Amino acid sequence: MAKEIYSRYPMVKYLRKEALPTALCPGCGGGTVLNAFANAVDQLRIDPKDLVVVSGIGCSAWIASPYFLADTLHTTHGRAIAFATGVKVGLPDKKVVVISGDGDLASIGGNHLIHAARRNIDITVILVNNMIYGMTGGQVAPTTPFGAKTTTSPYRNIEHPLQISETVAAAGASYVARWTTAHVYQLIESIKKALQVKGFSLVEVVSQCPVQFGRRNRMKEPAEMLRWFLKNSVPISKAKKMSPEELEGKFVIGEFVNRERPEFVSELNKLIDEVQEHFGLKGEDDGV
């Protein structure tokens, strides 16, 4: 029966069928993100052989590894962007994509996220923000909304969440967008744009976690969380006219930046060429 279901899914050619069905919890938004990424790759006609997909540790790190059928690196906690940087410098012709969660990329890995954006390294980051540490028991995260309940903030969270897209845009990324898993078509289009940008691109996906976040915040069903996303999403054009108080608890969605800036790997290779020319090493096969 499972094989029949898979055969009807047009994106199955991008998945490792031997790893299906997924280990993701029922109702998790990770499947939506995997589907959106596969559709973006398919619509752009990118050969998976030209992709290297990197993930860290956590629920969302499983989206790429083991499910996406391409070269994948499942790396240490918080270091996915550092690994991806090394891949891009060593293999500049590859499209390097990082898919991981907010705990992995914006908490323990937050320094790598900010400085990769500052350097404008030509990698695409799809950051799945489920607003909680899902895999390790539902603890409060830097992205947990103000007032939300978790295992370590059972009464309510008194911290304001890190605004990931705004932070990465300010750090210098070439492309930044945020959508929720309730905005699938917009998400696919943004992933397509991000994959074509020359420079650092981030697509933040606010995603449902009904098991750890939802059930502690009166949204046990995935559909309830999706309705919550739709009800509280504000387009960035409208958000610019709203006060911080009015935006409290809202999800600002849309494209934050789409600009051209010098890209790190290109600048690095230009520097190497300049140094080789200065020392008369240009064109020599001497391993420099």
Side-chain angles (χ1 to χ4, degrees):
M1 180 64 180
K3 288 183 178 179
E4 291 178 13
I5 293 172
Y6 299 152
S7 66
R8 295 198 298 270
Y9 176 53
M11 296 298 111
V12 75
K13 59 188 175 183
Y14 296 108
L15 306 182
R16 297 184 191 276
K17 291 189 283 291
E18 66 274 17
L20 298 175
T22 74
L24 301 173
C25 297
C28 171
T32 300
V33 177
L34 176 59
N35 183 43
F37 178 59
N39 271 277
V41 169
D42 187 66
Q43 291 176 28
L44 292 175
R45 299 185 179 180
I46 296 173
D47 187 339
K49 292 179 181 178
D50 294 328
L51 281 170
V52 178
V53 190
V54 186
S55 63
I57 298 298
C59 303
S60 301
W62 283 67
I63 293 170
S65 173
Y67 302 116
F68 196 81
L69 186 57
D71 287 330
T72 56
L73 293 176
H74 208 136
T75 70
T76 47
H77 196 15
R79 310 303 174 212
I81 290 174
F83 277 83
T85 299
V87 172
K88 187 63 186 182
V89 171
L91 301 170
D93 293 333
K94 295 290 186 181
K95 281 194 178 293
V96 181
V97 181
V98 174
I99 305 177
S100 211
D102 57 292
D104 186 67
L105 295 176
S107 179
I108 186 173
N111 56 333
H112 296 299
L113 177 67
I114 291 169
H115 291 292
R118 175 182 65 83
R119 294 181 178 113
N120 203 32
I121 299 168
D122 187 22
I123 58 177
T124 297
V125 175
I126 300 173
L127 190 154
V128 185
N129 180 5
N130 62 11
M131 304 166 288
I132 200 165
Y133 286 113
M135 190 178 74
T136 54
Q139 301 92 334
V140 69
T143 50
T144 301
F146 182 80
K149 294 181 179 180
T150 72
T151 55
T152 49
S153 58
Y155 299 104
R156 62 184 175 90
N157 178 32
I158 59 171
E159 300 176 358
H160 290 273
L162 173 66
Q163 299 298 327
I164 295 171
S165 290
E166 291 85 342
T167 300
V168 173
S174 283
Y175 181 83
V176 177
R178 178 194 288 127
W179 298 103
T180 80
T181 46
H183 299 86
V184 179
Y185 292 107
Q186 296 95 324
L187 174 59
I188 293 171
E189 289 304 311
S190 273
I191 293 174
K192 286 165 61 179
K193 287 184 180 180
L195 288 169
Q196 296 175 90
V197 162
K198 183 70 172 177
F200 188 87
S201 56
L202 171 84
V203 179
E204 179 186 355
V205 190
V206 180
S207 176
Q208 73 271 20
C209 175
V211 173
Q212 296 288 16
F213 185 92
R215 67 190 177 93
R216 292 184 174 88
N217 291 279
R218 298 183 178 180
M219 292 178 284
K220 293 182 180 180
E221 297 298 324
E224 292 179 275
M225 291 201 72
L226 291 172
R227 284 192 288 269
W228 177 51
F229 292 163
L230 290 171
K231 181 180 178 181
N232 291 284
S233 291
V234 178
I236 190 170
S237 57
K238 183 178 179 181
K240 290 177 180 177
K241 303 172 186 176
M242 296 171 66
S243 68
E245 292 75 21
E246 289 173 315
L247 288 172
E248 186 69 57
K250 303 297 183 183
F251 303 105
V252 179
I253 57 171
E255 291 186 356
F256 288 77
V257 291
N258 187 357
R259 60 196 171 195
E260 292 185 11
R261 287 187 61 230
E263 189 273 325
F264 176 82
V265 178
S266 296
E267 293 300 308
L268 175 63
N269 287 328
K270 268 201 285 186
L271 177 60
I272 291 171
D273 288 341
E274 290 170 11
V275 172
Q276 287 181 334
E277 188 171 351
H278 177 76
F279 288 101
L281 300 172
K282 192 70 174 173
E284 292 186 18
D285 186 16
D286 56 2
V288 175

